[in-house]
Amino acid sequence: MDKTKFNNRKEWRKFGIGLGIILCAVALVQLLKGRPAAPVFLTAGAVSAGLGLALPAALKPLFILFLVLGEILGWISTRVILAVLFYAVLTPIALIRKAVGRGPMPMSPDPKASTYWITRGKKFEDPASFENQF
């Protein structure tokens, strides 16, 4: 977590104004849907934007709370997304390959083989061949 933002007035000001805009947008949506929560969101948005402009230091505890919550949610969502991708994409691919008979290795075990070493051609014996690889 970048703790340098904790003591930056400019970041507090941006946070207050941004939060105020978001809360006012939520208030507008609530107002258009005819819900009674619109004045609460509008007041919170106006207070947040006003504090962001006039007294950004008052928003520091809320700013730190939002940063910590964002860090926690980011950590959790990363693990969830990776788990879903693994079990929804990679696991079915592996099961299909196993069912078809294609394993991850290009060869099948041979009990008679003394080694699985693949000898390379003369091309790799010259050290100059490693200088221009691409």
Side-chain angles (χ1 to χ4, degrees):
M1 178 182 307
D2 186 16
K3 293 185 180 182
T4 59
K5 293 182 179 183
F6 286 178
N7 296 319
N8 190 343
R9 272 180 88 79
K10 195 175 189 180
E11 292 292 329
W12 303 337
R13 180 170 281 120
K14 286 194 306 189
F15 169 73
I17 294 169
L19 183 63
I21 291 170
I22 290 171
L23 289 173
C24 287
V26 170
L28 180 65
V29 170
Q30 294 290 319
L31 187 65
L32 292 175
K33 289 188 175 187
R35 300 219 174 113
V40 174
F41 283 107
L42 186 61
T43 304
V47 167
S48 174
L51 282 174
L53 288 172
L55 190 61
L59 293 172
K60 181 180 178 181
L62 189 62
F63 176 72
I64 292 173
L65 176 70
F66 269 65
L67 280 182
V68 170
L69 285 175
E71 191 80 21
I72 292 169
L73 289 175
W75 187 87
I76 291 170
S77 65
T78 300
R79 270 93 187 142
V80 168
I81 290 169
L82 287 175
V84 167
L85 280 174
F86 179 78
Y87 289 112
V89 175
L90 296 178
T91 303
I93 290 172
L95 292 175
I96 291 169
R97 285 181 60 128
K98 268 201 189 290
V100 174
R102 293 191 57 190
M105 297 296 285
M107 64 184 86
S108 58
D110 183 12
K112 298 176 190 168
S114 61
T115 182
Y116 289 107
W117 186 266
I118 299 172
T119 56
R120 301 289 180 181
K122 300 275 185 195
K123 175 179 154 185
F124 294 104
E125 288 181 3
D126 182 23
S129 67
F130 294 105
E131 290 179 13
N132 278 330
Q133 295 183 16
F134 303 105

